[in-house]
Amino acid sequence: MLRPEEVRVGTKVRVGDRHRIAERRGMVGRVVGRYGGGEYMAIDVRFADGQHRLFWPSDLEEISPPSPSAWWRR
């Protein structure tokens, strides 16, 4: 779960397992915008197929980039 203050444009995110629409659970995309503030922030996410959707920060999980020390896993 992302906290509003952690949301940054360009962050890679995954829709959480508790999202109310089952078809969107597990989808991966990038944050392209954020609107509002405080408890009422909406996050605009773009997916690989070009779709854009708005989410609450609590619906999303940040996907950490691979660590530089894990170069051999690529």
Side-chain angles (χ1 to χ4, degrees), residues 12 30 62-74:
K12 193 170 181 180
R30 288 210 182 265
E62 182 175 0
I63 298 176
S64 301
S67 67
S69 63
W71 60 269
W72 52 271
R73 293 185 201 164
R74 294 185 200 161

Side-chain angles (χ1 to χ4, degrees), residues 42-66:
I43 309 301
D44 189 5
V45 178
R46 181 186 309 163
F47 298 101
D49 62 3
Q51 291 185 57
H52 283 257
R53 297 280 184 243
L54 291 175
F55 295 92
W56 297 115
S58 60
D59 289 335
L60 302 172
E61 304 166 354
E62 182 175 0
I63 298 176
S64 301

Side-chain angles (χ1 to χ4, degrees), residues 8-55:
R8 303 278 183 263
V9 172
T11 302
K12 193 170 181 180
V13 294
R14 175 183 301 120
V15 179
D17 294 336
R18 296 182 183 202
H19 190 271
R20 64 185 179 87
I21 300 174
E23 293 79 23
R24 293 190 185 148
R25 295 176 189 159
M27 291 179 71
V28 175
R30 288 210 182 265
V31 174
V32 294
R34 44 187 261 176
Y35 310 99
E39 296 178 31
Y40 300 104
M41 180 183 289
I43 309 301
D44 189 5
V45 178
R46 181 186 309 163
F47 298 101
D49 62 3
Q51 291 185 57
H52 283 257
R53 297 280 184 243
L54 291 175
F55 295 92

